[in-house]
Amino acid sequence: MTTKNKKVSLSELASIRSGLVLSRKRSQEERGEIYALLTLRSVKEDGELDMSAIDRYVSVGVLPNTYQTSVGDVIVRLTWPYSAVLIDEQKAGMLVSSHFVIIRPDRERLNSGYLHWILNRPAMRRRIYENTSANMMNAVRPQFFSKLNITHLPMAKQVKIAALQSLHRREQILLKRLRAERALLAQRLTENIYNATI
């Protein structure tokens, strides 16, 4: 006999907070503390982070760590496509603006990779969209995530799902790199043949 996995409020499994309202702490003189700033354009639809699109932010003073990414955090866009990004060592220490919600899982009860997978599923993105506020940007309120119920699997199953998804993401990156290298090779070979005949 199988037992049905229970639904648990995300707020019971993680701390959830909004990012920083940037206008409140921005330095007008370009002097102060400098931070790498996570931007909407740096978060791709597939939940990966484009490090070339990270901005620079100068604040009037030192900002609390609660507004900066930590390893294991899951950062979610509050506007379409509601992509979730999993923070690893290379992505830690970035400033998070109020365009995102910061979810910091309780590591004893919730695997970050599993949460990342849950939040990036098409069914979850539809659910988020259905709960957006009625404005032009279709923004979801950060409080939505506090009330969100997710399936709470045993930790061993969460870890398996996270590992499988990590392998899949690495495979996609390698395939994309291989396609780019093959396209470049085909272009060079074609140019060589063309140049040899003129």
Side-chain angles (χ1 to χ4, degrees):
M1 180 175 101
T2 60
T3 58
K4 191 160 176 70
N5 295 301
K6 65 178 180 173
K7 297 273 188 178
V8 177
S9 168
L10 187 52
S11 61
E12 294 179 41
L13 302 171
S15 70
I16 302 165
R17 71 168 299 128
S18 299
L20 176 71
V21 177
L22 298 178
S23 60
R24 293 181 184 164
K25 296 290 184 177
R26 187 181 306 273
S27 172
Q28 300 303 316
E29 302 171 5
E30 285 298 309
R31 281 184 298 184
E33 295 295 317
I34 299 171
Y35 294 91
L37 176 65
L38 190 65
T39 64
L40 289 174
R41 72 182 191 296
S42 63
V43 176
K44 298 182 187 176
E45 187 170 346
D46 64 1
E48 291 300 318
L49 194 59
D50 180 359
M51 295 301 284
S52 67
I54 299 295
D55 279 351
R56 179 178 172 268
Y57 178 83
V58 182
S59 75
V60 292
V62 177
L63 299 173
N65 289 341
T66 52
Y67 292 116
Q68 296 172 48
T69 55
S70 296
V71 175
D73 286 355
V74 177
I75 311 298
V76 186
R77 279 182 63 136
L78 295 175
T79 54
W80 180 259
Y82 315 110
S83 307
V85 176
L86 179 60
I87 302 300
D88 59 19
E89 291 82 6
Q90 289 78 35
K91 301 168 194 157
M94 290 187 290
L95 185 62
V96 180
S97 76
S98 58
H99 297 293
F100 300 91
V101 67
I102 304 164
I103 305 174
R104 201 158 278 165
D106 173 350
R107 295 180 187 202
E108 298 293 316
R109 303 184 63 207
L110 182 61
N111 179 279
S112 298
Y114 171 68
L115 177 62
H116 179 249
W117 173 74
I118 286 276
L119 294 174
N120 278 318
R121 295 176 67 211
M124 180 59 75
R125 289 194 188 181
R126 277 192 304 276
R127 193 166 155 200
I128 295 170
Y129 177 75
E130 289 165 4
N131 285 279
T132 57
S133 56
N135 62 35
M136 288 180 59
M137 292 185 66
N138 288 327
V140 65
R141 289 191 169 92
Q143 296 84 350
F144 166 81
F145 294 96
S146 294
K147 298 173 185 169
L148 179 65
N149 289 327
I150 64 168
T151 303
H152 189 231
L153 298 177
M155 186 56 81
K157 287 189 178 180
Q158 291 184 38
V159 169
K160 282 182 184 178
I161 289 172
L164 184 58
Q165 285 307 299
S166 177
L167 286 173
H168 174 68
R169 285 194 308 276
R170 274 188 274 173
E171 179 185 43
Q172 294 307 306
I173 290 166
L174 290 172
L175 287 172
K176 190 182 289 186
R177 194 177 300 159
L178 180 61
R179 275 194 302 273
E181 288 176 5
R182 283 185 170 174
L184 183 60
L185 177 61
Q187 180 184 359
R188 286 182 178 163
L189 289 174
T190 306
E191 289 290 333
N192 287 344
I193 292 168
Y194 175 77
N195 290 334
T197 57
I198 57 173

